C-alpha cells in the first residue's frame, strides 16, 4: 500500500506543474539530483523548507546569490521565509547552475506569473564549426568553452588544467590531443571535472579527469551525449556519469578509484544509451544505474577488481522507479572482491558480486563471462529503500559463471515472479537447481527465491550502517597506467553527439574470452556469510535469523506435532506412520504449490502466503500444531 501511495502521489505531482502552498509553508525534497517539486507557490511571508531525502549532499542557492542554504547532507533541512513577491530561481551548487540548469527550481511568491516555458531543444548547426585551441587561442578550457558556439571544436593540448569546466553551449566537441597528457585536475578541492548542464549534443573526448570531490565527467538533463576515450580516476563520487539524460554513449573509456561507481547512467527510461568497450576497476561499483533502463545496453566491456561489478538498482531517492530493461551482454566480469576500493556505506553490501540486479525488472543478462567472486556471480535480489522493491521478469541466459564463493547464480526472496535462468554454464545456485525451479521455459509467475541470499545482504547492510567495514580512500587510490589514445585526435573534425548511441545487435554479441577462473575464497572470518573481522551484532543477528528461521520453524512443527501424537491414545502403528509422514512433508507444501501452480493466475495474497518459498506454510502449520497440542 505504501508503494501504491507513493505512485499515486507522484502521479498527482506530475499532473500539477506548480505545487500550491499548504498554509504558509511548503516543503521541497532534494533528491538525487532534482528538486521535487521544481516549482512551488507560496504566499508573501510564506516559508520554504528544503529536506535532503537523497544520498548525496545538496544546496539550495539563489541564482543572484542573495541566499544559500549551506551544505545539506542526507537528512538535513533548511528553511527560509520570503517577504517580497516575485519569481525566485535557485539551484544546487553541486548538481546545477544559475539559469535553471541541472538541479534547479523556482519559488513563486504571491500572485506573480510563472516564467514562460523555454523553447524546444536547439538544433545542430549545419556544416563544420571552428577550432578553438587551448592554450594557443584561450588560456583555459573554460575560456575556450565560453567563447565557443554550437558546432565548434575545443581542442586541448597536453597539460595539467587545474579547473572545473562547466558547459552550457550545445553541440560542442571538447577533445584532448593526448588522452594521458591532457588532464583536468580538481586538486581535491573542485567538484566536477567537466560538467555538461542541459546542453544537448556535447561530446567530450580523449582526456583525463582526476582528483575532483564529486565527478570526473558529468552530463545532466541532456538529449544527446557522448564520452569517448576518457579516463576518470580518484574522483570523490562517480567517474563518468550521465543523469536524467537520454540518447548517449560511453565508449573506449576507463574509470577507477570512485567511492560510488566508475560508470553511471541514472533516472532515464527509456534511456537510449550504450556503454561499450570500457574498463572499470578499483571502484566501489564498476557500473551503477539507479532507476535507469529501456534501450540501455552494457556490452563488450571489462569490469574487474571493484568491490562489485555491474549493479543496476531501484531506489526511492530518484524518480522513475523501478529500474528495468537493461541488456548486459558480452562482458568479462571478474574478481570484484576489492576490499581496498573506496566505498560509501550503501555500496559495501554488494561486495563480492559480479552482476547484482537489485530490485530490477525485465533485465537481460546474456553471454557474459563472470569469474572469481567471493559472493555471487549473477544474482537478482530485492532492494529495500522507503519501499521494498522486488525483482520481476529478469532473464539470465547463456552466461559462463564460475569460481563464486557462495553461488554462481542466485535469486533472493521475496521476488515478484518471472525471473528466469537458463542455459548457463555454472556449478552452484541458490536456491539449488535454479534452472529447474525458475527456468525460462516455464516463465513462472509466483514469487520465489532463497531468503538466505537476501538476509546475507541485509546483514552486510547493517554492518555498513555501523561504518565499520573495509574501504579505501579515493584520494590515495592507485594511479592507472596509460590508456589507449584516440586515433587522429588532432586532425579529426568536430563530432558532436548527434548520432548516438551506436546500434547494438544483441544476438551478435559473443561470449568474451577470459582467463581460467580461480575459485574465490573468503579471506575474512565469516558466520553464515557475514564478516566478523569487524563484528557487528546487528549483522550477525539478521544473518542468523534469515538462515535459521525456516529450520527453527520446521523443528518446532515436527517436535510439537510428534509430542501431540505421543500423548494421544489409541492410534495404530499404520496411523502413527501416516501421521509422521504428514508431519514431515506438510511444511514443503509451499515450494510444491510454487512449482505446480506458479504458472496459474492465483490470487496475489495466496501466492505470497503459500508460493513464496514455503515460509507461509511453515508459519501456518506451526500454528495449527500448537492448537492441536492444546486441545
Amino acid at each position: 500500500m505504501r508503494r501504491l501511495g507513493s505512485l499515486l502521489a507522484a502521479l498527482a505531482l506530475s499532473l500539477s506543474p506548480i505545487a500550491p502552498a499548504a498554509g504558509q509553508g511548503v516543503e521541497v525534497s532534494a533528491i538525487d539530483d532534482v528538486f521535487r517539486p521544481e516549482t512551488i507557490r507560496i504566499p508573501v511571508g510564506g516559508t520554504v523548507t528544503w529536506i535532503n531525502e537523497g544520498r548525496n549532499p545538496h544546496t539550495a542557492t539563489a541564482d543572484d546569490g542573495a541566499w544559500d542554504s549551506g551544505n545539506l547532507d542526507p537528512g538535513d533541512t533548511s528553511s527560509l521565509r520570503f517577504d517580497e513577491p516575485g519569481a525566485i530561481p535557485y539551484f544546487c551548487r553541486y548538481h546545477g547552475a544559475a539559469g535553471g540548469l541541472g538541479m534547479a527550481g523556482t519559488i513563486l511568491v504571491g500572485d506573480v506569473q510563472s516564467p514562460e516555458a523555454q523553447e524546444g531543444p536547439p538544433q545542430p548547426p549545419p556544416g563544420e564549426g571552428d577550432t578553438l585551441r587551448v592554450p594557443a587561442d584561450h588560456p583555459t578550457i573554460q575560456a575556450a568553452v565560453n567563447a565557443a558556439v554550437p558546432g565548434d571544436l575545443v581542442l586541448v593540448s597536453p597539460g595539467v588544467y587545474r579547473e572545473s569546466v562547466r558547459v552550457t553551449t550545445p553541440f560542442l566537441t571538447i577533445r584532448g590531443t593526448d588522452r594521458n597528457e591532457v588532464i583536468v585536475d580538481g586538486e581535491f578541492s573542485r567538484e566536477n571535472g567537466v560538467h555538461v548542464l542541459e546542453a544537448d549534443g556535447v561530446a567530450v573526448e580523449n582526456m583525463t579527469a582526476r582528483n575532483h570531490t564529486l565527478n570526473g565527467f558529468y552530463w545532466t538533463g541532456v538529449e544527446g551525449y557522448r564520452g569517448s576515450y576518457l579516463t576518470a580516476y580518484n574522483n570523490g563520487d562517480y567517474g563518468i556519469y550521465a543523469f536524467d539524460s537520454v540518447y548517449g554513449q560511453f565508449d573506449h573509456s576507463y574509470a577507477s578509484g570512485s567511492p560510488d561507481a566508475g560508470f553511471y547512467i541514472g533516472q532515464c527510461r527509456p534511456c537510449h544509451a550504450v556503454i561499450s568497450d570500457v574498463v572499470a576497476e578499483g571502484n566501489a561499483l564498476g557500473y551503477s544505474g539507479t532507476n535507469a533502463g529501456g534501450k540501455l545496453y552494457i556490452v563488450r566491456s571489462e569490469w574487474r577488481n571493484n568491490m562489485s561489478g555491474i549493479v543496476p538498482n531501484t531506489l526511492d531517492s530518484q524518480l522513475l522507479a523501478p529500474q528495468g530493461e537493461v541488456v548486459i551482454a558480452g562482458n568479462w566480469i571478474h574478481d570484484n572482491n576489492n576490499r581496498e576500493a573506496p566505498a560509501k556505506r550503501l555500496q559495501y553490501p554488494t561486495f563480492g558480486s559480479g552482476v547484482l540486479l537489485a530490485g530490477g525488472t525485465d533485465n537481460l543478462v546474456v553471454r557474459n563471462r563472470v569469474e572469481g567472486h567471493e559472493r555471487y556471480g549473477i544474482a537478482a535480489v530485492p532492494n529495500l529503500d522507503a519501499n521494498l522493491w522486488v525483482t520481476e521478469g529478469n532473464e539470465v541466459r547463456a552466461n559462463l559463471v564460475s569460481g563464486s564463493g557462495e553461488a554462481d547464480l542466485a535469486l533472493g526472496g521475496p521476488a515478484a515472479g518471472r525471473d528466469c535462468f537458463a542455459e548457463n554454464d555454472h556449478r552452484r545456485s541458490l536456491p539449488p537447481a535454479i534452472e529447474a525451479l525458475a527456468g525460462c521455459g516455464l516463465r513462472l509467475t509466483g514469487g520465489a527465491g532463497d531468503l538466505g541470499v537476501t538476509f546475507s545482504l541485509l546483514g552486510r547492510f547493517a554492518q555498513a550502517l555501523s561504518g565499520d567495514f573495509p574501504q579505501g580512500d579515493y584520494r590515495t587510490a592507485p594511479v592507472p597506467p596509460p590508456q589507449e589514445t584516440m586515433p587522429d585526435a588532432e586532425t579529426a573534425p568536430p563530432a558532436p553527439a548527434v548520432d548516438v548511441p551506436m546500434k547494438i545487435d544483441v544476438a551478435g554479441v559473443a561470449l568474451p574470452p577470459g582467463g581460467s577462473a580461480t575459485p574465490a575464497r573468503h579471506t575474512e572470518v565469516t558466520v553464515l556469510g557475514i564478516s566478523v573481522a569487524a563484528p557487528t551484532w546487528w549483522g550477525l543477528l539478521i544473518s542468523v535469523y534469515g538462515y535459521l528461521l525456516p529450520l527453527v520453524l520446521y523443528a518446532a512443527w515436527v517436535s510439537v506435532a510428534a509430542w501431540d501424537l505421543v500423548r494421544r491414545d489409541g492410534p495404530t502403528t499404520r496411523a502413527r506412520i501416516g501421521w509422521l509422514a504428514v508431519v514431515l512433508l506438510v511444511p514443503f507444501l509451499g515450494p510444491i504449490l510454487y512449482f505446480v501452480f506458479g504458472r496459474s493466475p492465483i490470487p496475489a495474497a495466496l501466492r505470497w502466503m503459500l508460493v513464496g518459498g514455503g515460509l507461509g506454510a511453515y508459519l501456518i502449520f506451526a500454528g495449527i500444531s500448537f492448537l492441536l497440542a492444546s486441545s
Side-chain angles (χ1 to χ4, degrees), residues 260-510:
D260 201 308
F263 292 86
Y264 182 96
I265 294 176
Q267 192 178 290
C268 54
R269 193 162 182 179
C271 297
H272 299 283
V274 168
I275 297 177
S276 177
D277 301 287
V278 306
V279 175
E281 65 178 339
N283 308 282
L285 314 178
Y287 167 85
S288 175
T290 300
N291 302 355
K295 299 188 182 300
L296 172 55
Y297 301 87
I298 303 172
V299 298
R300 294 189 293 260
S301 298
E302 184 175 358
W303 313 85
R304 67 192 185 209
N305 202 36
N306 306 283
M307 272 198 173
S308 57
I310 298 177
V311 188
N313 57 85
T314 300
L315 291 172
D316 294 285
S317 59
Q318 292 186 16
L319 305 178
L320 305 182
Q323 180 278 329
E325 298 180 87
V326 173
V327 176
I328 302 170
N331 297 279
W332 186 20
I333 307 162
H334 63 99
D335 303 298
N336 292 289
N337 313 299
N338 188 348
R339 290 176 175 80
E340 297 180 358
K344 300 178 180 178
R345 65 182 186 179
L346 294 181
Q347 280 64 44
Y348 171 70
T350 67
F351 169 85
S353 300
V355 178
L356 194 69
L357 309 176
T361 63
D362 300 309
N363 298 293
L364 173 62
V365 185
V366 60
R367 290 188 298 280
N368 300 279
R369 183 182 294 269
V370 187
E371 301 175 312
H373 294 96
E374 288 197 18
R375 302 294 173 183
Y376 309 110
I378 303 174
V381 297
N383 207 31
L384 179 63
D385 197 10
N387 296 285
L388 175 63
W389 299 95
V390 297
T391 61
E392 181 176 10
N394 299 291
E395 181 175 334
V396 179
R397 182 185 291 274
N399 301 279
L400 192 159
V401 192
S402 62
S404 305
E406 293 191 8
D408 292 328
L409 304 177
L411 177 61
R418 296 191 305 108
D419 296 306
C420 77
F421 299 75
E423 304 171 19
N424 297 284
D425 187 340
H426 71 289
R427 297 191 65 179
R428 184 186 178 199
S429 70
L430 290 173
I434 196 170
E435 293 194 351
L437 181 64
C440 294
L442 298 177
R443 304 302 293 183
L444 302 177
T445 59
D450 188 293
L451 288 174
V453 174
T454 302
F455 277 96
S456 176
L457 290 170
L458 286 176
R460 284 191 166 270
F461 179 76
Q463 180 179 349
L465 290 181
S466 74
D468 194 2
F469 61 91
Q471 58 182 300
D473 187 336
Y474 80 93
R475 293 166 295 186
T476 58
V479 175
Q483 302 295 313
E484 176 191 8
T485 197
M486 175 183 173
D488 304 319
E490 296 193 51
T491 58
V498 295
D499 190 19
V500 288
M502 67 177 74
K503 305 299 182 184
I504 298 296
D505 176 14
V506 177
V509 178

Side-chain angles (χ1 to χ4, degrees), residues 187-263:
E187 301 180 295
F188 301 116
S189 62
R190 285 176 285 273
E191 294 157 3
N192 300 294
V194 178
H195 188 183
V196 182
L197 294 97
E198 299 189 16
D200 298 338
V202 173
V204 185
E205 304 171 333
N206 209 43
M207 61 176 58
T208 294
R210 71 184 185 194
N211 305 345
H212 294 87
T213 60
L214 289 179
N215 312 297
F217 299 96
Y218 181 21
W219 286 258
T220 305
V222 305
E223 291 188 16
Y225 62 91
R226 181 168 55 81
S228 302
Y229 295 92
L230 299 178
T231 297
Y233 71 90
N234 298 14
N235 298 290
D237 205 5
Y238 300 95
I240 302 175
Y241 179 14
F243 175 79
D244 193 28
S245 299
V246 294
Y247 295 101
Q249 177 177 312
F250 296 145
D251 64 89
H252 298 91
S253 294
Y254 173 98
S256 69
S258 306
D260 201 308
F263 292 86

Side-chain angles (χ1 to χ4, degrees), residues 143-157:
V145 166
N146 292 345
V149 299
D152 283 352
L153 167 65
V154 175
L155 190 62
V156 187
S157 294

